[in-house]
Amino acid sequence: TTAIAQPPPPLLTQEVNAATMLPPGIPSLGSVGHHLRLCKPCDFVDRGSCRAGAECRFCHLCGAAERKERKSERRRMARATSWTM
């Protein structure tokens, strides 16, 4: 008996979209670490002009108040480290 060779499976013509694999409640790739404060806020989402959408590497859960708080926190840390040197 001779084995008949099967044709290889067809290649995927469409790339896998990582954003479609996000868990519910996570609007962008950058929002994944939001609950651990490991994210970086997206500056454009509140203005309605984030072009990357779900594939954005910045957090869409952080609001304007969160960005302002983190900025002042960075300033406090910078001042604290400059005084100890």
PDB file of all heavy atoms in Angstrom, residues 14-28:
ATOM      1  N   GLN A  14      -4.864  35.943   7.544  1.00  0.00           N
ATOM      2  CA  GLN A  14      -5.149  37.064   8.425  1.00  0.00           C
ATOM      3  C   GLN A  14      -4.327  36.909   9.700  1.00  0.00           C
ATOM      4  O   GLN A  14      -4.250  35.829  10.269  1.00  0.00           O
ATOM      5  CB  GLN A  14      -6.642  37.079   8.767  1.00  0.00           C
ATOM      6  CG  GLN A  14      -7.096  38.291   9.518  1.00  0.00           C
ATOM      7  CD  GLN A  14      -8.614  38.245   9.717  1.00  0.00           C
ATOM      8  OE1 GLN A  14      -9.262  37.270   9.408  1.00  0.00           O
ATOM      9  NE2 GLN A  14      -9.140  39.307  10.251  1.00  0.00           N
ATOM     10  N   GLU A  15      -3.692  37.993  10.118  1.00  0.00           N
ATOM     11  CA  GLU A  15      -2.911  37.951  11.348  1.00  0.00           C
ATOM     12  C   GLU A  15      -3.837  37.819  12.544  1.00  0.00           C
ATOM     13  O   GLU A  15      -4.970  38.272  12.526  1.00  0.00           O
ATOM     14  CB  GLU A  15      -2.103  39.241  11.501  1.00  0.00           C
ATOM     15  CG  GLU A  15      -0.982  39.376  10.514  1.00  0.00           C
ATOM     16  CD  GLU A  15      -0.169  40.624  10.770  1.00  0.00           C
ATOM     17  OE1 GLU A  15      -0.255  41.185  11.877  1.00  0.00           O
ATOM     18  OE2 GLU A  15       0.545  41.031   9.863  1.00  0.00           O
ATOM     19  N   VAL A  16      -3.322  37.183  13.583  1.00  0.00           N
ATOM     20  CA  VAL A  16      -4.098  37.077  14.810  1.00  0.00           C
ATOM     21  C   VAL A  16      -4.063  38.434  15.491  1.00  0.00           C
ATOM     22  O   VAL A  16      -3.014  39.007  15.722  1.00  0.00           O
ATOM     23  CB  VAL A  16      -3.502  35.992  15.735  1.00  0.00           C
ATOM     24  CG1 VAL A  16      -4.227  35.987  17.064  1.00  0.00           C
ATOM     25  CG2 VAL A  16      -3.593  34.643  15.064  1.00  0.00           C
ATOM     26  N   ASN A  17      -5.205  38.960  15.806  1.00  0.00           N
ATOM     27  CA  ASN A  17      -5.323  40.258  16.457  1.00  0.00           C
ATOM     28  C   ASN A  17      -5.288  40.042  17.959  1.00  0.00           C
ATOM     29  O   ASN A  17      -6.200  39.469  18.528  1.00  0.00           O
ATOM     30  CB  ASN A  17      -6.627  40.932  16.020  1.00  0.00           C
ATOM     31  CG  ASN A  17      -6.757  42.320  16.554  1.00  0.00           C
ATOM     32  OD1 ASN A  17      -5.925  42.796  17.310  1.00  0.00           O
ATOM     33  ND2 ASN A  17      -7.825  42.980  16.165  1.00  0.00           N
ATOM     34  N   ALA A  18      -4.220  40.500  18.600  1.00  0.00           N
ATOM     35  CA  ALA A  18      -4.062  40.304  20.039  1.00  0.00           C
ATOM     36  C   ALA A  18      -5.159  41.001  20.824  1.00  0.00           C
ATOM     37  O   ALA A  18      -5.546  40.561  21.894  1.00  0.00           O
ATOM     38  CB  ALA A  18      -2.701  40.814  20.482  1.00  0.00           C
ATOM     39  N   ALA A  19      -5.662  42.091  20.308  1.00  0.00           N
ATOM     40  CA  ALA A  19      -6.682  42.849  21.025  1.00  0.00           C
ATOM     41  C   ALA A  19      -7.995  42.078  21.136  1.00  0.00           C
ATOM     42  O   ALA A  19      -8.757  42.294  22.073  1.00  0.00           O
ATOM     43  CB  ALA A  19      -6.918  44.184  20.328  1.00  0.00           C
ATOM     44  N   THR A  20      -8.272  41.179  20.220  1.00  0.00           N
ATOM     45  CA  THR A  20      -9.514  40.413  20.299  1.00  0.00           C
ATOM     46  C   THR A  20      -9.431  39.344  21.372  1.00  0.00           C
ATOM     47  O   THR A  20     -10.449  38.770  21.739  1.00  0.00           O
ATOM     48  CB  THR A  20      -9.851  39.754  18.952  1.00  0.00           C
ATOM     49  OG1 THR A  20      -8.787  38.877  18.595  1.00  0.00           O
ATOM     50  CG2 THR A  20     -10.074  40.782  17.877  1.00  0.00           C
ATOM     51  N   MET A  21      -8.262  39.089  21.895  1.00  0.00           N
ATOM     52  CA  MET A  21      -8.072  38.063  22.912  1.00  0.00           C
ATOM     53  C   MET A  21      -8.042  38.666  24.320  1.00  0.00           C
ATOM     54  O   MET A  21      -7.708  37.990  25.268  1.00  0.00           O
ATOM     55  CB  MET A  21      -6.784  37.297  22.610  1.00  0.00           C
ATOM     56  CG  MET A  21      -6.859  36.589  21.274  1.00  0.00           C
ATOM     57  SD  MET A  21      -5.294  35.991  20.621  1.00  0.00           S
ATOM     58  CE  MET A  21      -4.683  34.952  21.892  1.00  0.00           C
ATOM     59  N   LEU A  22      -8.403  39.929  24.463  1.00  0.00           N
ATOM     60  CA  LEU A  22      -8.394  40.583  25.769  1.00  0.00           C
ATOM     61  C   LEU A  22      -9.553  40.083  26.624  1.00  0.00           C
ATOM     62  O   LEU A  22     -10.641  39.833  26.123  1.00  0.00           O
ATOM     63  CB  LEU A  22      -8.514  42.097  25.604  1.00  0.00           C
ATOM     64  CG  LEU A  22      -7.305  42.806  25.012  1.00  0.00           C
ATOM     65  CD1 LEU A  22      -7.640  44.263  24.740  1.00  0.00           C
ATOM     66  CD2 LEU A  22      -6.122  42.708  25.941  1.00  0.00           C
ATOM     67  N   PRO A  23      -9.330  39.972  27.942  1.00  0.00           N
ATOM     68  CA  PRO A  23     -10.430  39.580  28.830  1.00  0.00           C
ATOM     69  C   PRO A  23     -11.489  40.681  28.900  1.00  0.00           C
ATOM     70  O   PRO A  23     -11.198  41.846  28.619  1.00  0.00           O
ATOM     71  CB  PRO A  23      -9.749  39.405  30.188  1.00  0.00           C
ATOM     72  CG  PRO A  23      -8.339  39.765  30.035  1.00  0.00           C
ATOM     73  CD  PRO A  23      -8.077  40.123  28.620  1.00  0.00           C
ATOM     74  N   PRO A  24     -12.695  40.346  29.281  1.00  0.00           N
ATOM     75  CA  PRO A  24     -13.752  41.358  29.403  1.00  0.00           C
ATOM     76  C   PRO A  24     -13.363  42.434  30.414  1.00  0.00           C
ATOM     77  O   PRO A  24     -12.766  42.144  31.447  1.00  0.00           O
ATOM     78  CB  PRO A  24     -14.963  40.573  29.901  1.00  0.00           C
ATOM     79  CG  PRO A  24     -14.647  39.145  29.664  1.00  0.00           C
ATOM     80  CD  PRO A  24     -13.163  39.017  29.605  1.00  0.00           C
ATOM     81  N   GLY A  25     -13.674  43.670  30.109  1.00  0.00           N
ATOM     82  CA  GLY A  25     -13.363  44.777  31.006  1.00  0.00           C
ATOM     83  C   GLY A  25     -11.990  45.381  30.791  1.00  0.00           C
ATOM     84  O   GLY A  25     -11.627  46.346  31.443  1.00  0.00           O
ATOM     85  N   ILE A  26     -11.218  44.817  29.880  1.00  0.00           N
ATOM     86  CA  ILE A  26      -9.887  45.343  29.561  1.00  0.00           C
ATOM     87  C   ILE A  26      -9.975  45.955  28.165  1.00  0.00           C
ATOM     88  O   ILE A  26      -9.990  45.243  27.166  1.00  0.00           O
ATOM     89  CB  ILE A  26      -8.804  44.236  29.604  1.00  0.00           C
ATOM     90  CG1 ILE A  26      -8.812  43.505  30.934  1.00  0.00           C
ATOM     91  CG2 ILE A  26      -7.436  44.808  29.289  1.00  0.00           C
ATOM     92  CD1 ILE A  26      -8.416  44.348  32.121  1.00  0.00           C
ATOM     93  N   PRO A  27     -10.038  47.291  28.064  1.00  0.00           N
ATOM     94  CA  PRO A  27     -10.271  47.927  26.770  1.00  0.00           C
ATOM     95  C   PRO A  27      -9.065  48.007  25.847  1.00  0.00           C
ATOM     96  O   PRO A  27      -9.217  48.194  24.647  1.00  0.00           O
ATOM     97  CB  PRO A  27     -10.738  49.331  27.153  1.00  0.00           C
ATOM     98  CG  PRO A  27     -10.146  49.576  28.489  1.00  0.00           C
ATOM     99  CD  PRO A  27     -10.079  48.245  29.159  1.00  0.00           C
ATOM    100  N   SER A  28      -7.843  47.877  26.388  1.00  0.00           N
ATOM    101  CA  SER A  28      -6.652  47.960  25.536  1.00  0.00           C
ATOM    102  C   SER A  28      -5.558  47.067  26.091  1.00  0.00           C
ATOM    103  O   SER A  28      -5.587  46.677  27.263  1.00  0.00           O
ATOM    104  CB  SER A  28      -6.147  49.402  25.449  1.00  0.00           C
ATOM    105  OG  SER A  28      -5.652  49.820  26.698  1.00  0.00           O
TER     106      SER A  28
END
